[in-house]
Amino acid sequence: MASAARVDLDGNPIKAMTICMIGAGGFIGSHLCEKLMAETPHKVLAVDVYNDKIKHLLEPASLPWAGRIQFHRINIKNDSRLEGLIKMADLTINLAAICTPADYNTRPLDTIYSNFIDALPVVKYCSENNKRLIHFSTCEVYGKTIGSFLPKDSPMRQDPAYFILKEDASPCIFGSIEKQRWSYACAKQLIERLVYAEGAENGLEFTIVRPFNWIGPRMDFIPGIDGPSEGVPRVLACFSNNLLRGEPLKLVDGGQSQRTFVYIKDAIEAVLLMIENPARANGHIFNVGNPNNEVTVRQLAEMMTEVYSKVSGEPALEVPTIDISSKEFYGEGYDDSDKRIPDMTIINTQLGWNPKTSLWDLLESTLTYQHRTYAEAIKQAISKPVASS
Ligand SMILES: NC(=O)c1ccc[n+]([C@@H]2O[C@H](COP(=O)([O-])OP(=O)(O)OC[C@H]3O[C@@H](n4cnc5c(N)ncnc54)[C@H](O)[C@@H]3O)[C@@H](O)[C@H]2O)c1
Ligand SMILES: O=c1ccn([C@@H]2O[C@H](COP(=O)(O)OP(=O)(O)O[C@H]3OC[C@](O)(CO)[C@H]3O)[C@@H](O)[C@H]2O)c(=O)[nH]1
């Protein structure tokens, strides 16, 4: 429950605020709403087109935080109520986006509109009404590392200067225009530049968040269960789906790309610090990730296989992985980030935040959730006879 004497990092009392959270019904939004309801006195105006992932916070009316969270079913593309909600709030957090890589090269227009055009009014209303904005960008704005352009056997590839991603120093390196994978990163980069320029020219109080592969319960969907059968979610849900169905995990282009994964609950702590410490967070761009949790995608698949066997009690598959080309898996125009290690200096200095949870531990709690939530539904779906046409 909310404690009476909450203070910020400088020892000042934290005043209760109203937060307009756009995209509140998604993966990150649902965890942020949960945290705000359970541990703070703040009010949330939760904006989204869906609310399935926050239903447990909205009903029943007897919940301890009833009255502090209100759901507004609004598509921000075309709804005049948005400006009113931003005006009512002290802070706006924009999470709304198309952010699944399978969409970037197959629906590049929707991706660019969602990540740039649809975010424009949010920035404009915040700027015009002198309202603070926390905008969610992505680690994908870094694109590829400088090191990836060096010869494979170059010793410079081991030098952190060629791969650590630093908010105020690293360049944004994308592929050619035909590689439409980069439509998302490019749209996110341009909206970051716009937010930054609004800060510089018009005094907008802003914070930009660059999440580095946050994972945990409620991420995306399991195809054919709570999402389209042919849909392709992000890697955690793809691999969870394979494990639940007892089929090999598909390694795109050999699973050689590297990622650092951070537990959603650790990352939400960082966002709460930003919310409650405006003087330390305003004007900054923050990497939020866990540099200690780096693996190749192949290693992730192997670890998830082992953890899933432990939490489900089922034996691991004899052939746990199969290789698939990116063209076959994602289609024409896919490309990839080779490696993503966040520099943590800025978030450390400004907010004193550090991630805590190891990859093994976060996979254990997440796959326990996946098994409890989906195993029975998958069993039933598999045993159902396919309708003849
Ligand atoms: N999860 C990660 O690791 C990660 C990594 C990098 C960046 N991000 C960024 O963080 C943000 C949230 O990501 P997430 O993982 O929670 O994604 P998500 O897809 O689970 O959540 C996005 C939410 O926005 C809503 N939304 C989209 N368009 C909308 C519209 N026009 N009007 C109203 N609502 C709309 C969706 O319905 C969804 O609930 C995104 O901006 C994403 O680019 C996330
Ligand atoms: O079945 C699969 C699915 C994916 N891969 C490969 O895994 C890597 C990671 O994929 P994913 O988590 O889906 O996405 P990215 O990390 O590439 O991009 C995301 O990062 C942040 C964000 O902005 C939002 O979450 C988004 O763009 C990748 O190499 C896939 O090819 C696989 O092998 N098998």
Side-chain angles (χ1 to χ4, degrees):
M1 269 308 295
S3 100
R6 291 172 56 76
V7 291
D8 67 16
L9 291 172
D10 299 302
N12 304 309
I14 296 168
K15 284 197 204 113
M17 58 184 112
T18 300
I19 300 169
C20 173
M21 195 190 300
I22 306 167
F27 163 57
I28 296 176
S30 70
H31 286 273
L32 187 51
C33 286
E34 242 172 32
K35 182 86 171 172
L36 289 165
M37 291 306 109
E39 292 180 25
T40 81
H42 309 311
K43 283 190 184 146
V44 174
L45 309 173
V47 173
D48 206 304
V49 282
Y50 304 111
N51 66 8
D52 322 31
K53 295 184 185 184
I54 51 170
K55 270 246 159 73
H56 61 294
L57 301 173
L58 302 171
E59 295 159 5
S62 56
L63 286 166
W65 47 77
R68 281 203 293 118
I69 181 163
Q70 249 176 41
F71 178 66
H72 298 263
R73 195 176 301 278
I74 286 178
N75 185 333
I76 61 163
K77 271 183 193 302
N78 49 27
D79 202 306
S80 57
R81 287 173 293 174
L82 181 64
E83 184 171 12
L85 292 174
I86 289 176
K87 278 186 177 169
M88 275 165 65
D90 303 293
L91 162 68
T92 293
I93 301 180
N94 190 8
L95 294 147
I98 288 176
C99 54
T100 35
D103 291 317
Y104 308 163
N105 59 316
T106 55
R107 300 170 55 205
L109 284 177
D110 287 341
T111 300
I112 293 166
Y113 271 76
S114 169
N115 283 283
F116 182 67
I117 307 285
D118 300 346
L120 281 176
V122 177
V123 181
K124 180 172 162 253
Y125 297 147
C126 287
S127 189
E128 287 175 355
N129 294 291
N130 297 316
K131 297 292 182 176
R132 188 176 166 224
L133 171 66
I134 297 183
H135 185 82
F136 270 71
S137 180
T138 173
C139 56
E140 216 166 300
V141 295
Y142 294 110
K144 299 174 185 240
T145 64
I146 307 172
S148 69
F149 293 89
L150 294 168
K152 286 258 174 306
D153 57 356
S154 168
M156 288 197 306
R157 276 189 175 239
Q158 310 310 317
D159 181 344
Y162 292 91
F163 61 79
I164 298 277
L165 302 170
K166 198 164 170 30
E167 298 92 326
D168 53 357
S170 298
C172 302
I173 308 175
F174 306 149
S176 64
I177 301 299
E178 303 91 82
K179 297 288 186 198
Q180 296 206 69
R181 158 43 186 276
W182 302 110
S183 56
Y184 164 79
C186 198
K188 285 283 201 196
Q189 187 199 158
L190 190 53
I191 199 74
E192 275 201 28
R193 291 192 185 277
L194 185 100
V195 168
Y196 195 90
E198 279 290 347
E201 290 190 31
N202 295 327
L204 172 68
E205 289 184 347
F206 75 86
T207 301
I208 290 169
V209 187
R210 290 182 180 167
F212 278 64
N213 293 75
W214 299 8
I215 60 176
R218 295 198 292 271
M219 185 167 199
D220 297 340
F221 57 91
I222 296 300
I225 303 297
D226 55 2
S229 309
E230 300 309 312
V232 181
R234 286 169 284 189
V235 69
L236 173 83
C238 283
F239 286 175
S240 300
N241 184 37
N242 299 143
L243 290 165
L244 286 154
R245 291 177 192 275
E247 58 189 32
L249 283 60
K250 292 180 180 160
L251 297 179
V252 172
D253 293 338
Q256 290 313 300
S257 296
Q258 290 166 287
R259 295 287 187 273
T260 49
F261 294 95
V262 65
Y263 192 34
I264 183 72
K265 291 187 194 298
D266 287 354
I268 290 296
E269 296 272 355
V271 182
L272 187 58
L273 285 167
M274 293 175 208
I275 292 172
E276 298 193 324
N277 291 276
R280 287 167 176 260
N282 283 348
H284 287 283
I285 300 177
F286 291 114
N287 286 344
V288 182
N290 188 336
N292 304 317
N293 280 350
E294 191 189 29
V295 279
T296 63
V297 174
R298 179 178 289 278
Q299 288 167 333
L300 174 73
E302 289 164 357
M303 199 186 279
M304 283 181 68
T305 302
E306 203 182 330
V307 172
Y308 188 70
S309 173
K310 182 182 170 198
V311 302
S312 67
E314 289 161 19
L317 286 179
E318 273 180 36
V319 182
T321 59
I322 47 164
D323 286 356
I324 184 165
S325 73
S326 52
K327 192 164 172 196
E328 202 184 327
F329 192 80
Y330 288 112
E332 206 66 63
Y334 182 75
D335 198 359
D336 207 353
S337 297
D338 52 301
K339 185 173 174 78
R340 292 182 180 156
I341 303 195
D343 182 279
M344 305 293 289
T345 313
I346 297 183
I347 193 152
N348 237 267
T349 312
Q350 293 302 120
L351 302 172
W353 178 80
N354 278 303
K356 300 185 206 92
T357 315
S358 70
L359 187 55
W360 179 277
D361 288 353
L362 77 85
L363 288 177
E364 200 167 313
S365 57
T366 305
L367 292 180
T368 300
Y369 171 88
Q370 302 288 60
H371 184 67
R372 283 199 193 128
T373 311
Y374 295 110
E376 198 46 48
I378 297 254
K379 219 181 270 167
Q380 283 180 18
I382 290 173
S383 66
K384 241 187 230 155
V386 181
S388 56
S389 52

